[in-house]
Every structure is written in structure tokens, then in C-alpha cells.
Amino acid sequence: DAAKSRLELLKVKALTFAEGLRSKAELTYKNMEKWLGERFLAEMASVDKLTDVARHHIEASTKIQHELVLEGTEFYINHDIKVFPDPLPPPRPPSVETATNGTLMISQLTTLHKQFLQVAPKAIAALKQFKSKNVALGKNQNQSKKHDQFPDKWLSMYPWLKHDSARDTMYCALCRKHNVDLGEATHNFCSGTDDFRLDLVNIHHSSEAHAWATCMEAASSSTPDIATADQMLKSMSKATLGRIENLFRTCHAIAKTGRPFTDLDWMCKLDDMKGVDIGSIFRNDKAARIFIHFIAEVERRALKEKLEKCKFFSLISDGVSDNDVAEAALVYVRFAFQGKVHCQIVGVQAVDRFDASTVKNAILKILQTNLQVNLPSQDWARKLVGFGSNGADVMVGQNNGVAKLLKEIQPCIQSVHCLVHCLEMTYKAALRNTQLYTVLTDLLQNMYYFYHNSPLNKSNLKLAYEALQLRPAVPSRIGGSQWLRRLQMALQILLKGYPAVVLHMSKIQEEPCSFNHQKAKAFLKVLLKTEMVKFFHFLLDVINVLNILSRVAQDQNSSIADVFATIQSTMETLQMYRARSGPRERLVETITHFHGFQLIGDGNISAIRIELLSGILNQLRDCFCDASEDVLRASTIGSFKLWPDQIQQEFGEMEVSVLTKYYEPVLECASVKVDEVETEWNMLKAELYDRYQGAIRRLTWDSVNTDYFHKYPNILTLVDLVLTLPASSDEAARGFCQMKLSMMQLRSKLMSGSMTDLMIIQMNSPDIKKFDPQKAIQLWNISWMRNRKLQADQWATSPERSDCSSGSEWERESSFGSY
């Protein structure tokens, strides 16, 4: 008994010791795996850096000057060792100086030095002797002769020149009137000078400062208009206008790329180093803000001109509330003119609270502030035909939504939800309580991190792919803004790589000492269930259909007819899936093995499929609940993709009748002869099918308008109305994404006015290569002339110099041109 007891104690002690060794071994394996993974990633990162440096030099066709060192996990460039010697520097070109007022050149300084040596070799000559000699030399030059008294004949030669007999000084009346003062200590023609020399008068007469003062005088005596601005631009010197153009182009690039206004300072310094002439002022963030405002103003005026020409327009609005932008409303306008559709941003407005009345007032304020459009007025209200929003209650509420409030202004307005947003809510509402979907998303998310965070697992998975002779594909991430496309891709990768994933998990499960043993066991438990495999294929069938609908809705060229027709086909396809399985699900209806692996369970998902499809169908039916379904069906005539290949006599007749009846008040206000619309439709349809046989679906409405608007203006105006109806509010969503990106880059919160300017330039203005600053410079000059006229009036009432100074830095800078 004692021996047995002792043996039992030895056994317990040995088992405890063995368990401790096993735990230490597992910890060691874990630490080794972690260390190997970190070192592998560090080494690959260093190799990537090395290849990037080599690729850069290869693409640039340059030699690698310094030694490249790759030691273990470290990569660096050894600047102490050069592979080849530096090339000899080119010979320095001879310096070329240009004469400027008040600054002596090297040759002049050399002559002056020689004169000093002649007059005072020992540097003890009296200063008076030097001055008297200098004056004597000056008298020999007739043009630089100084007069003791002011010659009165100069007043007739230069009308702008005035003489102050009390102070015995001469000054420029225009420069003093408009405060063009460059701050010279001597020869200042704004404050006055007693140096009566004709060459100084001629220099000032030809200076750019005097040219600016002359332009100000012309502007103060006339009404500011485009002609005056053109005349002023012509009066500028070529160098001055070139500097202003360069500054406007730089500011446009800053706004287009979402950079901070303060970037203008260092960009101007860079231009100086490159030899680009941009002048010495207008180089701060305040000047950038002003220039960007006028660039955006050009786009606003162009948008207003387009809206005045078109006969209908729709509003697209969305709201956001998050950490970056507290609460704001963003407005787009969509309109069609002679078959060409435009969708452009109007502005963004901060709101105190996000309710229907506040958002509606913000929309009206944005239109009034940026486009001078008073929406409640009859002229603009009769043009409003559609409203697109994100589908939130504050936008489309039955009792007090923004759409409801806008219908008080225009009863014929069609309210459309953002289909992308509606699709996301539909999908999430239908799958909210589905247990299989929760298990699926957890599986995809955990598998992504399982391989993404472990290089060893990823490399072993690739080995499994190679063993099965399959193309490697690592599980991808789900969620995010592109949630539908990501989920589709993750399912496709999982089903294509199913045998490799299961094989890899099985190998891990067979190794009890593996750190990932329990994870692999949990993964296999889900992957080998029959109901999960069938649910994978069923959900992929549904997502493939919904992804087509999402892609059409996000296409900027899609009309409401395209979206509505795609919704109808989507609902018909999903209804068909309720009665029978989809193409992917049919492959696994009766399987017991999948890719050679035994599945577990009966795999009956009929109830789940019917419940899920019913939920999605019910949600899709409500997408256009606020719009007239008859009008939406009739809008199919606006998409050539939905026209029949061969002519059908009755095609479109009922649709045209529905549209003309519903929009009759709007069409009559647009000078459309409603009685002639159906006749023109039949004639236009006959001509198009006769001329474009077999190619009718490749037509565009802008080309049709070019050829037929003079013959059928009434039906083509009705088509413009159909094209004006918004398909979604996806443009507003893109605008908010761009706004958040700009706010993130600027690391600050801008006022709504500056934010609107940035958004308009980023979304509406031409690319940097195609930007023409002429119109923006004209607007800047017009505003500048108005301000100068007000200052001139103030100067007339109080001609003191102290009263002539501008009240803002920009006004002071504007008065100095480009000096």
C-alpha cells in the first residue's frame, strides 16, 4: 500500500510537471510565432522600401548616389558613402542686373567707389565737398536737372501732377486720392516731394502704381460693369496681369485639392525659387480666402445662368450630424437642358437643430444666398418638379417632413428616397433577427482577422491553395461604406476557397499543441454545417441581385426611369426566388458533401429564405411610396435603354398622357403646348425608329435635341422634365464624404460660407489643367472697383490721408496691385 501510494504521488507529480512543460511549450510556440511574424513583417517592410527606392531610380533613369544597406530588419540609406563621385558643378553664368528705382547696380557702385577714392583717398574729405561735386556733376545732365522752383509748364504736360505752394512740394493727385502709397522715404508722389526733377516725374508716370491709380479713377467715375473690368484688365501691364493669374491658379489648386489656405504662403515661396513671377503681396491665407471666394462665385453665377435657361429643376438634399460637422444641410440641384442632365452643388448650411422646418429654411437660405433664387416666388416655384433625400423621417415624414413642406410651394413635386440608403435599411431590417446571418457575419469577420493578423496562417493557407491547385485568395473584410460589394466579395472568396480553408483548418485541428486549435475547431463547426453552406449560396444569389440595383442607383447617368425599371426587375427576380431556388442555391439543394467534405445536419432553410425574401420585398415596395407610381412608370420613356428594339405603335402613348395630365400646370408655365405633345411623340418616335434601326438603345437625348428640337420642342421639353427627376440623393452623400475629407485635411471647422466655396470648386469647377482665371479676376476687379468708389466718395468729403486707408488688409493689398 505504501508503495502504491508513493507511486500515485509520483504519478501526480509527473503529470503536474508534464502539464507545466506543455504550458511552457505552448507559450514558447506562441512567442516564437509572434516573434517570427513580427520579424517577417519587418523584413518584408524593409524589402518593400528597398524596392521602392530602386523602382524610383529605375523609372526616373537616375543613378543611385548613396549606398543602400539592408541589415536584418533594418533598411537605410547610408549618406556617408557614395557609390560614385558627384558631377562637377556647371560654370556659374555671368550675373545680369536690371536697373530698378532706388537701387544701384554693381557697375554703378563700382563707379561710386572710384569717385570716393578720387575725392577722399584717405577718407577724411569733408562731406560738403563731396555733395557739391555730386551736384556739379548732376547739372551736366539736362534730364536729371533739379529746379529750385516748380515749373508751371509741367502742370499742362501732366494733368495728374499738382503743386502745393504752401509746402512747396509736388504730388500725384490720383495716387493721393486713391491712397496708392508704396512707402518710399524719398520721391513719394503720394505724400509729396520737393525734388523737382523731370526724370522723377517721367518714372512715376510710367510706373505700375500710377497705372493702378488711373484705373481707380476711371472706376470711381463710372458704374462698375464687365466692360469697365475688361478695360481695367487691358490697362494692367502684362507682368501685373500674369502675377494675378498665377495667384488665382494657385488658389484654385489649393481649393480643388482641399488644402489649407495657409499653403499659399509656402507655395508662393516655392514659385519664387522656381523663378515664377507672382509679386510680393497677396501671399497670405486671407488673400487665398478672397481669391477662392471669387473663383467659387464664377461657378455660382454660371449655375444660376443655367437654371434661368432651363425650364425645370429638382432639389437634392441630405443632412449629417457627427463629430466633424455638428449639424448641416447640403443642397444640390438637378436639371436637364435640351437632353443634357446636370447635377451640381449649391451650398452647405449649418443648422441649429435637425427638424423639418429648420432644414426647409436652410434649403431656402442656401438657394437665396448662393444663387439669389427665391424659391417661394412664382417664377421659381413653378420650375420645381422633384425632391431627392436620404429617406429619413425628417425629410419624407408623412405629416411634417421637408418633402411635405415643399409640396406647399409646388404641389406637383415628386419626392424620391435615396435608393442606396433605402437598400441598406431594407437589407438590415430584413436580416436583423436572422440567426444564420449573424453566424455568417461573425464567421467572415473572424476569418478575416485570423488570416490578416497572422502571416504564418496566411502563408499556410496559400500552401493549401497550391496543394489543391487553386488560385490563392485570402478572406476579405466586410462592412464599411461599400458594405454590399464587400459582402459579395467575401462570400465569393469563401465559396471559391472553401476546400483550401477547410483543409487548412483541419490541419490546425489535428495539432493539439497549436495555439489556434480551438479557433480552427470553432470555424470547422460552422463551415461543415449543411444549413450554413446552403445559406451561403442563397445569400449570394440575393446579394448579386441587390448589387445590380445598387450599381444602377449609384450611376450618375442613371435616370429615375432606369432605377424604377431596375427595382421592378429586382422585385420580380426575388419573387421568383421565393418559389424556387436561385442559380447558386440550386447547386447545393440535395448535397451531403461539399468539395469532398462531409456536411452535418439536414440543411433545411426554406422558412428562413421565405421570411427573408418577404421582408426585402416589403421594404423595396416602399422606396417610392411618396411618389406617384403612375408617373414613375410613365418616366420609362425617358430612357432609351427601355425602348423596344422595333417600333410599336402604342408604345409610350399612355405614358405621355399620364405625364402631361399630372404636370399640366407646370408644362403650361414652361410655354409647352400640351395639346401637341402626344402628336409630336408619335412623329418623333416614327422618325427615330426609321433613322436608327437597330441602334435605338444607343441614342442619347442631347443628340436627339440637336437634330429634332426645332421640329418637336414640346415633347422634348417633357423629356427634359422626366430627366430632371432625381433617381436618388447619392450626389449629396458624395458631397458630404468630400466635405468630411476636406475638414479632416484642414484639421479645423470652417464657416459655412468658406466651406461652400471649397465644395463648389471641388465639385463644380474645371480641373486644374482646364481652369481659366479670367472671369474670376474680372469679378474680383468689379468688387474692388465698388470698394474703391466708396473710398473715393469718402475721400471727397474728407481728403485727409488718414481717412483714405482701407478698413481691411485685403483692401490695402488691393490698392497696391502686385508690388
Side-chain angles (χ1 to χ4, degrees):
D1 292 338
K4 291 181 179 180
S5 176
R6 187 172 181 81
L7 289 173
E8 287 293 331
L9 291 174
L10 290 173
K11 178 181 178 182
V12 172
K13 186 67 175 177
L15 291 175
T16 304
F17 185 75
E19 183 66 23
L21 288 178
R22 190 180 66 82
S23 300
K24 292 180 180 180
E26 289 183 355
L27 181 61
T28 303
Y29 276 118
K30 179 180 177 180
N31 292 335
M32 287 177 61
E33 181 182 8
K34 182 180 179 180
W35 178 81
L36 288 173
E38 291 176 351
R39 182 173 180 83
F40 174 77
L41 291 176
E43 290 178 351
M44 292 305 297
S46 298
V47 173
D48 290 340
K49 293 179 182 179
L50 174 61
T51 55
D52 288 341
V53 173
R55 184 186 301 110
H56 169 74
H57 285 279
I58 293 173
E59 293 176 351
S61 300
T62 58
K63 297 181 179 180
I64 299 178
Q65 176 76 28
H66 301 282
E67 181 186 23
L68 304 181
V69 181
L70 181 63
E71 294 180 353
T73 61
E74 299 295 330
F75 166 72
Y76 60 92
I77 300 176
N78 188 2
H79 291 276
D80 296 333
I81 299 178
K82 293 185 177 181
V83 180
F84 58 90
D86 293 328
L88 296 176
R92 182 177 179 179
S95 58
V96 178
E97 282 190 297
T98 56
T100 56
N101 296 334
T103 303
L104 296 177
M105 295 188 299
I106 297 298
S107 59
Q108 294 173 330
L109 289 173
T110 303
T111 304
L112 181 62
H113 179 251
K114 292 179 180 179
Q115 187 174 355
F116 277 138
L117 293 176
Q118 293 175 0
V119 175
K122 298 181 179 180
I124 58 176
L127 182 60
K128 291 183 179 180
Q129 180 182 0
F130 168 72
K131 286 186 176 180
S132 61
K133 187 172 182 178
N134 188 38
V135 171
L137 291 174
K139 289 182 180 181
N140 294 330
Q141 302 176 4
N142 295 329
Q143 189 175 2
S144 301
K145 181 179 180 181
K146 179 177 179 180
H147 298 268
D148 295 332
Q149 295 182 353
F150 178 79
D152 294 335
K153 64 179 181 178
W154 289 0
L155 298 176
S156 58
M157 295 171 58
Y158 303 97
W160 49 267
L161 188 63
K162 301 297 179 183
H163 178 238
D164 188 349
S165 57
R167 298 182 180 179
D168 194 22
T169 58
M170 63 178 179
Y171 64 92
C172 175
L174 299 182
C175 292
R176 177 175 291 188
K177 178 179 178 180
H178 298 287
N179 193 29
V180 181
D181 186 358
L182 300 181
E184 299 96 329
T186 59
H187 312 317
N188 191 321
F189 275 78
C190 184
S191 60
T193 179
D194 58 356
D195 195 356
F196 303 137
R197 290 166 51 188
L198 185 60
D199 61 329
L200 297 179
V201 177
N202 290 329
I203 291 173
H204 179 75
H205 181 70
S206 59
S207 66
E208 292 191 30
H210 184 72
W212 277 87
T214 304
C215 294
M216 295 178 201
E217 179 64 18
S220 63
S221 60
S222 61
T223 303
D225 53 13
I226 299 299
T228 308
D230 291 338
Q231 183 179 1
M232 180 177 178
L233 290 179
K234 293 178 181 178
S235 65
M236 286 186 188
S237 68
K238 186 176 180 181
T240 302
L241 185 58
R243 294 167 185 166
I244 297 298
E245 286 184 356
N246 288 334
L247 287 169
F248 268 81
R249 290 184 185 277
T250 302
C251 292
H252 173 263
I254 289 174
K256 193 72 175 176
T257 55
R259 297 296 306 166
F261 296 154
T262 52
D263 279 7
L264 180 61
D265 181 48
W266 69 262
M267 294 179 78
C268 289
K269 293 178 181 178
L270 180 61
D271 287 339
D272 291 339
M273 297 302 297
K274 293 187 294 186
V276 180
D277 186 10
I278 58 172
S280 59
I281 65 170
F282 301 134
R283 301 167 68 112
N284 54 19
D285 57 331
K286 294 181 180 179
R289 189 185 300 271
I290 292 169
F291 289 167
I292 287 172
H293 170 75
F294 285 106
I295 295 171
E297 184 64 24
V298 171
E299 300 300 328
R300 278 191 283 265
R301 296 193 178 195
L303 177 58
K304 185 180 180 182
E305 290 179 2
K306 295 176 183 177
L307 281 179
E308 289 174 344
K309 290 180 181 180
C310 72
K311 297 183 179 180
F312 318 103
F313 72 94
S314 294
L315 293 175
I316 301 175
S317 182
D318 199 353
V320 68
S321 176
D322 59 12
N323 295 329
D324 294 330
V325 183
E327 286 180 339
L330 188 143
V331 177
Y332 275 74
V333 289
R334 178 186 172 98
F335 56 93
F337 181 69
Q338 293 188 357
K340 191 170 184 179
V341 180
H342 303 267
C343 187
Q344 294 184 329
I345 187 174
V346 180
V348 59
Q349 178 68 41
V351 294
D352 298 332
R353 59 183 184 276
F354 209 73
D355 56 57
S357 178
T358 306
V359 173
K360 177 220 172 186
N361 292 334
I363 293 174
L364 299 182
K365 184 177 180 180
I366 290 173
L367 293 172
Q368 179 66 44
T369 303
N370 293 281
L371 300 179
Q372 289 76 50
V373 171
N374 183 18
L375 188 60
S377 66
Q378 185 177 2
D379 293 338
W380 290 103
R382 65 188 183 185
K383 289 186 174 185
L384 182 61
V385 295
F387 176 67
S389 64
N390 60 1
D393 292 338
V394 69
M395 291 292 185
V396 296
Q398 294 286 340
N399 299 324
N400 195 26
V402 176
K404 183 76 172 178
L405 298 178
L406 291 177
K407 284 186 178 180
E408 297 176 359
I409 299 176
Q410 171 57 275
C412 296
I413 191 173
Q414 291 286 321
S415 177
V416 179
H417 299 192
C418 177
L419 186 59
V420 179
H421 183 74
C422 183
L423 192 60
E424 181 177 1
M425 293 190 299
T426 297
Y427 184 79
K428 291 181 178 180
L431 295 171
R432 184 181 298 115
N433 299 321
T434 304
Q435 182 65 27
L436 290 181
Y437 178 74
T438 305
V439 175
L440 170 63
T441 53
D442 291 342
L443 173 68
L444 294 176
Q445 194 75 14
N446 292 332
M447 285 182 58
Y448 167 74
Y449 288 117
F450 181 79
Y451 289 108
H452 179 75
N453 294 337
S454 175
L456 181 61
N457 291 337
K458 187 184 297 185
S459 61
N460 289 335
L461 178 62
K462 292 181 179 179
L463 292 176
Y465 273 108
E466 293 175 359
L468 296 173
Q469 296 182 352
L470 296 175
R471 183 178 179 181
V474 181
S476 62
R477 188 177 182 179
I478 62 174
S481 58
Q482 299 178 346
W483 57 273
L484 191 61
R485 187 177 65 85
R486 285 185 174 182
L487 182 58
Q488 181 189 34
M489 183 180 297
L491 281 173
Q492 290 173 347
I493 291 175
L494 176 61
L495 293 179
K496 289 181 180 179
Y498 183 90
V501 172
V502 174
L503 178 61
H504 179 223
M505 295 296 178
S506 300
K507 290 183 178 180
I508 297 176
Q509 187 184 18
E510 293 173 358
E511 300 174 1
C513 297
S514 174
F515 175 71
N516 296 316
H517 174 76
Q518 293 298 330
K519 290 183 179 180
K521 185 177 180 181
F523 286 143
L524 286 175
K525 184 178 179 180
V526 177
L527 290 171
L528 295 177
K529 284 186 178 181
T530 307
E531 62 178 3
M532 290 304 302
V533 174
K534 290 185 177 181
F535 187 73
F536 293 162
H537 290 79
F538 159 71
L539 191 61
L540 186 57
D541 283 335
V542 175
I543 291 177
N544 288 338
V545 176
L546 296 181
N547 190 53
I548 294 174
L549 177 59
S550 176
R551 188 168 62 247
V552 173
Q554 295 184 59
D555 187 358
Q556 298 181 5
N557 298 321
S558 295
S559 65
I560 192 171
D562 298 324
V563 175
F564 185 74
T566 309
I567 284 183
Q568 297 301 313
S569 61
T570 299
M571 294 176 63
E572 292 175 2
T573 305
L574 295 179
Q575 188 68 37
M576 180 184 66
Y577 287 172
R578 289 186 60 186
R580 61 187 183 90
S581 302
R584 301 301 299 266
E585 188 182 1
R586 284 197 297 269
L587 299 176
V588 294
E589 276 185 327
T590 59
I591 64 168
T592 57
H593 292 73
F594 188 58
H595 289 289
F597 295 96
Q598 177 71 41
L599 300 180
I600 305 171
D602 58 353
N604 187 5
I605 62 169
S606 300
I608 296 176
R609 173 161 30 86
I610 294 175
E611 180 183 358
L612 191 148
L613 290 175
S614 299
I616 294 178
L617 289 170
N618 292 334
Q619 294 289 335
L620 287 176
R621 292 190 184 97
D622 296 335
C623 285
F624 294 103
C625 59
D626 293 333
S628 172
E629 187 172 348
D630 293 336
V631 173
L632 294 178
R633 291 184 181 277
S635 66
T636 54
I637 65 170
S639 177
F640 283 112
K641 302 173 186 176
L642 305 177
W643 282 34
D645 292 330
Q646 302 297 328
I647 187 171
Q648 298 176 6
Q649 299 299 328
E650 69 281 359
F651 168 68
E653 293 180 351
M654 183 180 67
E655 287 80 358
V656 171
S657 177
V658 169
L659 292 172
T660 53
K661 183 178 180 181
Y662 185 86
Y663 287 109
E664 184 174 358
V666 178
L667 293 173
E668 289 178 349
C669 292
S671 303
V672 175
K673 298 177 182 178
V674 180
D675 296 336
E676 299 180 8
V677 171
E678 295 189 35
T679 303
E680 291 187 2
W681 165 254
N682 288 322
M683 296 181 67
L684 175 64
K685 180 176 62 175
E687 284 201 38
L688 291 179
Y689 274 105
D690 183 61
R691 180 177 178 181
Y692 301 100
Q693 292 181 3
I696 196 72
R697 295 187 178 182
R698 294 197 295 270
L699 284 178
T700 58
W701 282 112
D702 55 342
S703 62
V704 172
N705 272 267
T706 302
D707 297 334
Y708 296 100
F709 186 79
H710 64 287
K711 297 172 65 176
Y712 309 115
N714 298 299
I715 182 60
L716 291 178
T717 302
L718 178 62
V719 171
D720 278 349
L721 189 152
V722 173
L723 297 177
T724 300
L725 297 176
S728 68
S729 66
D730 199 52
E731 287 290 341
R734 292 192 187 99
F736 269 124
C737 291
Q738 184 64 42
M739 185 173 70
K740 291 179 182 179
L741 181 61
S742 298
M743 302 287 278
M744 193 182 307
Q745 290 177 341
L746 297 177
R747 297 183 180 88
S748 63
K749 293 186 177 181
L750 298 179
M751 299 173 61
S752 58
S754 298
M755 194 71 248
T756 295
D757 291 342
L758 286 176
M759 293 294 295
I760 288 176
I761 294 176
Q762 291 174 6
M763 309 300 287
N764 294 353
S765 71
D767 294 334
I768 295 176
K769 293 182 179 180
K770 299 179 181 179
F771 172 67
D772 184 4
Q774 290 294 329
K775 293 183 179 180
I777 295 175
Q778 285 184 353
L779 289 181
W780 174 62
N781 277 314
I782 291 173
S783 175
W784 168 75
M785 287 189 293
R786 289 195 184 102
N787 294 325
R788 284 299 156 195
K789 186 174 182 180
L790 293 175
Q791 290 182 3
D793 294 340
Q794 294 175 0
W795 184 87
T797 57
S798 179
E800 299 293 332
R801 281 194 70 239
S802 59
D803 295 337
C804 296
S805 61
S806 178
S808 66
E809 181 179 351
W810 174 65
E811 294 295 339
R812 290 195 298 271
E813 288 179 338
S814 296
S815 64
F816 294 104
S818 58
Y819 285 89

